[in-house]
Amino acid sequence: MKKIAKKYKFLGFLALPSLMMLAACIGAGGGAEEEGYNPQDALTFGLTGDVKEVRILVAKTANLLPGEDPWVEDDEPLMTFDERGRVTLDPYGNVYVYDENGRFVKGLSDKTKVTRDDEGRLGNYDNELGLNDRDMRHITFTHDEKGRLLTSEQTYWEAISTDSMVYEGSKVYPAKTITEGQAEADTYKVTTTYKYVKTDAHGNWTERYCYYTAESMIADNETTRSTNEGETFERRKIVYYSDEPEEKEADDEEASADVAGTTATDVRAFGFLGSVKESFCNMYEADDIDADELEKGEPVNSNDSEQGYSFSADGQILTDPYGGVYEYDNGGRFVKGITEKSVMRRDAKGRIVYYLQQNDDDDDARFENKFTYDDQDRLIKVERTFWESSSVEVFSYEGDNIYPSSREFRSEEEGTSIESRTEYRYTKFDDKGNWTKREQHYRGSTAEGDESSRTSWRGAMVVEREIEYY
């Protein structure tokens, strides 16, 4: 097991069952196929798209000692594929070398043998120098009807382990992995469930939590049975062959990173590009609301929903203009809001969809926010509920713009209803592509009691936005 021990040298804090569990946790992973790129090997290991390389970062999120660094694996290579989609490094530490015709010629040693089934899927990886070879390993892969990895049976020197994957629907990455095995006289079973919090534009997960329960026993002696639980956080960096060429000018690379790096993150979801630290809006009444180009007049004190944001260096929201406050642990997991009783939830793409602040059932400071996004990760609806009041904002966009073209607003509060529509005209942008000045033309109506009391109004404002970057 020398290779495995080397690959997972950071696992000194785990017993053998946990080591085997983490191999399963890391090993399981979701695009159009590029010409000449066969996606089958990528699919076997839970990926879609023309994947070139996957690197992994792993952090402990529980049972940390005082002063202990939670990051126990930092930017290590996990998987690689050649330009034809053939695996060259798999998550079990196996190496694959091919000749110019695509035939397998070498693995961990010159004696390594690899077999594939009739559909080209990996079947066996065998490396054995001799009968007493401590570096021997035999791995048998099986697949389901969708081509996803179903089981991985691994035989090492005096040890055997089987990973069984459980999937939800058509997802290519598992919801659960069950690892069962034996090492000399020790037997164990580890059940790992996953919570996926971020995915990239190809649908592959980039951040997830692994929650495991490990049971072990020595020599079938029930008195030695033990159970332990734990969790880890994983972050993946995935490079695709269809990524921007590396030879681009440095300025172009930086601009590209600003856009691509914010996909499906809080920064992108709330309408920003680049490594935004914080933003704030200064609002002014328009001197002449019918002018072709608005001139700013008196400053306005407003609770407008664009007024202020702040983000961490990793792009996670820290404060939003809807009253939300977000604090995270070292693994990026939400731990606290305005109070310890705040609740925040994200969807499968890692976008914030829910925030609740409530100290008790009779809390007059209670509020609830629900966020909805389109398929480009842009915020399209905010539903807010307060003590005896509620409001809904609906945003519309033009083309692929990440900033809205209009906003519909409705609110109800103790018998008073407000309806309005605001149209935006953007006049200035910074070098990151974020708007710094816009005009807002709005019209609406207010009713107190019944609809017969409804009155109409209209107006315009000039908004200047200040943005600070990391």
Side-chain angles (χ1 to χ4, degrees):
M1 295 181 64
K2 183 168 64 177
K3 272 284 185 180
I4 286 290
K6 180 179 179 182
K7 183 171 180 62
Y8 299 116
K9 59 183 181 296
F10 59 89
L11 295 177
F13 63 92
L14 293 173
L16 176 63
S18 297
L19 185 151
M20 302 308 292
M21 174 282 304
L22 194 53
C25 186
I26 292 177
E33 176 187 349
E34 294 292 314
E35 182 179 357
Y37 189 98
N38 187 327
Q40 179 54 60
D41 283 359
L43 177 59
T44 291
F45 298 112
L47 297 157
T48 65
D50 57 331
V51 179
K52 180 178 182 180
E53 179 184 30
V54 181
R55 303 183 73 86
I56 190 79
L57 298 92
V58 181
K60 291 174 61 177
T61 55
N63 304 320
L64 281 168
L65 299 175
E68 182 180 1
D69 182 1
W71 292 100
V72 294
E73 184 76 348
D74 186 12
D75 198 26
E76 291 292 324
L78 180 66
M79 290 179 274
T80 57
F81 303 85
D82 67 15
E83 68 280 357
R84 304 290 289 182
R86 296 175 293 237
V87 62
T88 52
L89 171 68
D90 72 20
Y92 299 97
N94 298 320
V95 176
Y96 303 74
V97 180
Y98 308 90
D99 65 16
E100 60 184 10
N101 296 316
R103 291 175 298 192
F104 177 83
V105 294
K106 183 181 178 182
L108 290 171
S109 71
D110 293 333
K111 292 191 176 182
T112 303
K113 296 180 180 179
V114 170
T115 60
R116 294 178 179 267
D117 63 18
D118 293 339
E119 297 184 41
R121 302 176 299 193
L122 284 171
N124 295 280
Y125 188 100
D126 298 309
N127 188 75
E128 183 176 343
L129 302 180
L131 295 178
N132 296 318
D133 176 19
R134 290 186 178 273
D135 286 335
M136 69 176 286
R137 69 171 66 185
H138 304 284
I139 300 184
T140 299
F141 303 101
T142 67
H143 305 76
D144 65 10
E145 68 281 357
K146 296 181 182 295
R148 303 174 298 190
L149 188 62
L150 191 59
T151 64
S152 170
E153 183 179 84
Q154 308 143 54
T155 304
Y156 305 98
W157 175 257
E158 297 184 351
I160 185 170
S161 176
T162 301
D163 296 335
S164 300
M165 316 319 181
V166 179
Y167 297 89
E168 289 183 353
S170 59
K171 293 179 180 177
V172 300
Y173 42 82
K176 179 189 298 186
T177 299
I178 300 172
T179 302
E180 298 180 273
Q182 181 173 350
E184 297 182 342
D186 295 346
T187 59
Y188 56 88
K189 178 179 180 180
V190 183
T191 301
T192 307
T193 58
Y194 307 105
K195 177 183 178 183
Y196 297 93
V197 294
K198 284 188 179 181
T199 56
D200 64 13
H202 292 260
N204 291 315
W205 70 265
T206 55
E207 291 187 5
R208 74 177 179 185
Y209 291 94
C210 304
Y211 305 96
Y212 67 86
T213 300
E215 301 176 358
S216 61
M217 184 170 56
I218 300 175
D220 294 329
N221 185 344
E222 284 292 335
T223 62
T224 65
R225 182 182 294 276
S226 63
T227 301
N228 65 79
E229 297 180 346
E231 62 183 69
T232 59
F233 171 78
E234 296 182 355
R235 178 176 293 148
R236 296 197 304 188
K237 298 179 180 178
I238 306 176
V239 178
Y240 299 88
Y241 281 99
S242 55
D243 285 349
E244 289 292 328
E246 295 180 359
E247 59 268 22
K248 288 194 64 160
E249 294 295 327
D251 289 344
D252 290 341
E253 287 181 352
E254 182 178 355
S256 175
D258 286 338
V259 176
T262 58
T263 299
T265 67
D266 296 342
V267 174
R268 166 96 181 180
F270 289 105
F272 294 90
L273 296 172
S275 54
V276 177
K277 184 176 183 180
E278 60 183 1
S279 76
F280 187 81
C281 288
N282 298 300
M283 313 180 78
Y284 305 89
E285 293 180 356
D287 278 342
D288 180 0
I289 66 174
D290 294 316
D292 292 336
E293 184 173 337
L294 299 181
E295 297 291 336
K296 65 182 184 181
E298 294 297 317
V300 175
N301 292 323
S302 172
N303 291 322
D304 185 275
S305 64
E306 288 288 342
Q307 202 163 12
Y309 292 90
S310 64
F311 302 89
S312 71
D314 292 328
Q316 290 183 300
I317 188 77
L318 299 177
T319 58
D320 68 31
Y322 303 101
V325 174
Y326 307 80
E327 293 187 17
Y328 308 90
D329 62 17
N330 290 332
R333 183 175 57 180
F334 177 80
V335 294
K336 181 184 176 183
I338 294 176
T339 68
E340 286 81 359
K341 293 187 177 182
S342 299
V343 176
M344 186 268 281
R345 300 193 189 105
R346 295 180 182 269
D347 63 12
K349 295 186 70 174
R351 304 171 301 191
I352 293 173
V353 293
Y354 184 80
Y355 185 96
L356 171 66
Q357 170 58 40
Q358 179 175 333
N359 295 323
D360 54 59
D361 292 339
D362 298 321
D363 181 14
D364 59 4
R366 176 194 188 281
F367 69 91
E368 180 182 56
N369 299 332
K370 296 179 181 179
F371 303 96
T372 304
Y373 307 85
D374 65 11
D375 55 8
Q376 296 189 50
D377 302 315
R378 300 176 300 192
L379 186 64
I380 57 173
K381 182 187 291 187
V382 181
E383 300 171 87
R384 308 185 67 193
T385 303
F386 310 89
W387 178 261
E388 297 184 349
S389 65
S390 63
S391 69
V392 177
E393 294 175 86
V394 178
F395 298 96
S396 297
Y397 297 83
E398 291 183 354
D400 295 328
N401 291 339
I402 67 166
Y403 40 85
S405 58
S406 65
R407 180 187 72 161
E408 302 282 348
F409 176 83
R410 302 190 309 276
S411 70
E412 297 283 344
E413 182 175 5
E414 296 182 347
T416 298
S417 67
I418 298 175
E419 298 179 358
S420 69
R421 175 180 173 81
T422 303
E423 295 184 351
Y424 304 115
R425 177 174 176 263
Y426 298 89
T427 58
K428 285 187 180 181
F429 295 82
D430 64 14
D431 58 2
K432 302 291 185 181
N434 291 312
W435 69 267
T436 56
K437 185 176 181 180
R438 75 180 180 189
E439 299 175 358
Q440 300 183 179
H441 290 267
Y442 58 87
R443 62 178 65 246
S445 63
T446 303
E448 297 182 3
D450 55 45
E451 285 298 313
S452 62
S453 66
R454 185 169 294 278
T455 57
S456 299
W457 38 266
R458 71 187 187 98
M461 289 191 297
V462 176
V463 181
E464 296 178 337
R465 188 164 71 167
E466 300 175 7
I467 305 175
E468 180 180 350
Y469 298 88
Y470 283 98

